Amino acid sequence: MTTIYGILLPFFGTVMGAGCVFFLKRSLGTQVQRALTGFAAGVMVAASIWSLLIPSMEQAADMGKGAVIPAAAGFWLGILFLLILDRLIPHLHRNADQPEGVKSGFGRTTMLLLAVTLHNIPEGMAVGVVYAGFLTGNGEITAAGALALSLGIAIQNFPEGAIISMPLRAEGMKKGQAFLSGVLSGIVEPLGAVLTILAAQFVVPALPYLLSFAAGAMLYVVVEELIPEMSAGKHSNIGTVFFALGFSVMMVLDVVLG
């Protein structure tokens, strides 16, 4: 049951965030969106370091100084994986860079969902990899440590759910449809986690590489998507402040629970 709760917790974060559409009458202001994006970015960076990269090197501790090799290799594989997806899947960030007059075959709503789904892929993988290691009795991964990662991702999924549903509502979509769109953006996380756990017999031997792979993919999302969004326009320091807040929250969760 602990594993089931851990897998579903990030998805519940998305659901609760998307549910804001039923309680808030106005769309999220620019500063609010910037703050939420910065907070999410801070959580993801801290989770990548304390919950993924450091455990990756601890898993390969018997390699001595060479323990950094699986971490570095997996990290770059994660970066390259998201780079390829970024090129294959059209989404808002790249669409904004298109020359004027060039139209995408996807509507704004579709691209928005694709963008957040793209963000959620490495998060689902990270949860699945950590719980696969925990279920197979890996001494370096505790139930509390795995829960810290799930809780941190759930916290940062709350603003993501709101960032999806509220703008869609503001564009005229019905509340129920906007809520469902926000929920669907997060469904990839528990599905990815379950598939990873089912493949545990293949995952565990490569755990150092997979942990750092998830870290690289998450950090790619932060640098490519979240940081530009939180820093755009005037008064971008609010994004920086909430980045630091998200980083601190996730760091404390991981150290205290881990």
Side-chain angles (χ1 to χ4, degrees):
M1 292 302 296
T2 300
T3 301
I4 294 174
Y5 292 146
I7 292 173
L8 293 178
L9 193 56
F11 180 62
F12 287 151
T14 302
V15 173
M16 292 175 65
C20 288
V21 75
F22 295 113
F23 305 102
L24 301 179
K25 295 182 179 180
R26 299 180 180 179
S27 60
L28 295 174
T30 302
Q31 296 289 16
V32 174
Q33 290 193 46
R34 188 173 292 158
L36 293 177
T37 301
F39 184 85
V43 169
M44 290 178 72
V45 170
S48 297
I49 296 171
W50 272 276
S51 297
L52 298 171
L53 282 175
I54 292 177
S56 171
M57 288 183 277
E58 289 176 347
Q59 292 289 315
D62 58 342
M63 296 176 63
K65 293 183 178 180
V68 73
I69 295 176
F75 178 84
W76 270 102
L77 287 173
I79 293 288
L80 294 174
F81 175 71
L82 261 291
L83 179 62
I84 293 171
L85 284 184
D86 196 26
R87 295 294 181 181
L88 294 178
I89 302 177
H91 56 285
L92 288 178
H93 180 71
R94 185 147 57 91
N95 186 65
D97 294 334
Q98 288 179 346
E100 187 176 352
V102 178
K103 296 183 179 179
S104 170
F106 292 83
R108 177 179 173 81
T109 301
T110 303
M111 288 191 296
L112 189 61
L113 290 174
L114 284 173
V116 176
T117 301
L118 180 66
H119 294 176
N120 288 336
I121 289 174
E123 295 169 15
M125 291 171 50
V127 173
V129 168
V130 170
Y131 273 99
F134 166 67
L135 289 173
T136 54
N138 191 298
E140 300 294 335
I141 299 177
T142 64
L147 179 61
L149 176 63
S150 293
L151 184 57
I153 291 177
I155 291 172
Q156 73 94 18
N157 277 354
F158 181 87
E160 277 193 0
I163 287 171
I164 286 290
S165 64
M166 295 299 293
L168 293 180
R169 173 59 179 164
E171 290 178 3
M173 184 177 286
K174 293 181 179 179
K175 288 184 178 180
Q177 292 176 328
F179 171 72
L180 183 60
S181 296
V183 170
L184 290 177
S185 70
I187 196 67
V188 67
E189 289 191 18
L191 290 177
V194 169
L195 290 175
T196 303
I197 290 173
L198 290 176
Q201 60 178 329
F202 305 106
V203 168
V204 173
L207 200 55
Y209 294 92
L210 292 174
L211 287 167
S212 57
F213 177 93
M218 288 176 68
L219 289 177
Y220 179 93
V221 170
V222 171
V223 175
E224 175 69 11
E225 300 290 342
L226 301 185
I227 289 179
E229 289 176 20
M230 79 179 201
S231 303
K234 298 180 180 179
H235 308 297
S236 60
N237 55 347
I238 190 171
T240 304
V241 170
F242 274 82
F243 174 93
L245 179 60
F247 186 95
S248 301
V249 168
M250 185 61 210
M251 178 178 63
V252 170
L253 282 175
D254 196 275
V255 172
V256 171
L257 294 181

